[in-house]
Amino acid sequence: MIRKYCFQDRQKVLAMMKDFYSSPAVLHKIPQENILKTLQEVESGSPYADVFILEFENEIAGYALTAYTYSNEAGGKVVWIEELFVLPKFQGKGLGKEFIRYIKSTFGEFARIRLEVEKSNDGAARLYRREGFGALDYKQYFMDKN
């Protein structure tokens, strides 16, 4: 089952986000302050981000963080899958695939679904290719506001 995050999920989601940012799926850890800001943004009803809870046999098995933007290149709205994390004991049960399919069906009016994958995360890359994602050969640049 996939459902939207609610405040009662906060502690479990915090723990999973910490696990995600300590895993090889990401390039670097982030401060806990960033995680708390993200959850506050979602809890405030922001139109820019959502957290989804992935459940398996009535247990929280993972989460996904999505963000929304507009792209001239894509010709419309874009859903970014910012994070998709499944707890190790639930991996291999099809939850990642189920979430991708949920996003495809729920956000049908969006022109593009976009995500990033750490180069060494071969399992995730295989899943995304099987679900119809193609690779973009962009180099990404960023500037943090400090």
Side-chain angles (χ1 to χ4, degrees):
M1 183 174 111
I2 297 167
R3 63 175 173 81
K4 283 213 176 180
Y5 164 92
C6 63
F7 187 77
Q8 291 78 3
D9 301 317
R10 186 178 244 263
Q11 292 309 312
K12 288 188 178 189
V13 171
L14 276 170
M16 289 187 292
M17 286 181 166
K18 287 179 192 175
D19 288 348
F20 178 76
Y21 278 98
S22 296
S23 78
V26 297
L27 293 173
H28 57 83
K29 291 182 178 188
I30 65 170
Q32 181 165 338
E33 175 185 323
N34 289 12
I35 294 171
L36 293 172
K37 283 180 176 178
T38 297
L39 291 179
Q40 288 168 352
E41 185 75 17
V42 170
E43 290 162 2
S44 76
S46 171
Y48 301 109
D50 278 314
V51 172
F52 294 90
I53 302 299
L54 287 66
E55 292 184 337
F56 186 81
E57 295 179 351
N58 297 316
E59 275 188 76
I60 292 180
Y63 79 93
L65 171 65
T66 56
Y68 311 105
T69 187
Y70 188 92
S71 169
N72 196 34
E73 177 182 316
K77 297 176 190 173
V78 177
V79 177
W80 274 87
I81 301 173
E82 291 283 338
E83 299 169 15
L84 176 54
F85 178 78
V86 177
L87 290 164
K89 85 178 207 178
F90 297 104
Q91 291 174 3
K93 299 190 181 301
L95 296 173
K97 176 172 64 176
E98 184 180 337
F99 181 72
I100 296 298
R101 291 178 179 179
Y102 172 82
I103 289 295
K104 286 183 196 179
S105 67
T106 303
F107 293 93
E109 78 278 6
F110 280 69
R112 179 174 285 168
I113 301 169
R114 193 159 175 182
L115 50 81
E116 297 173 340
V117 179
E118 164 55 40
K119 289 179 186 178
S120 64
N121 196 344
D122 295 329
R126 278 192 306 275
L127 166 65
Y128 301 139
R129 282 192 302 272
R130 279 194 314 263
E131 291 303 312
F133 285 80
L136 294 171
D137 286 332
Y138 289 120
K139 269 191 175 177
Q140 289 202 343
Y141 293 86
F142 70 96
M143 178 181 9
D144 288 335
K145 180 182 168 192
N146 288 334

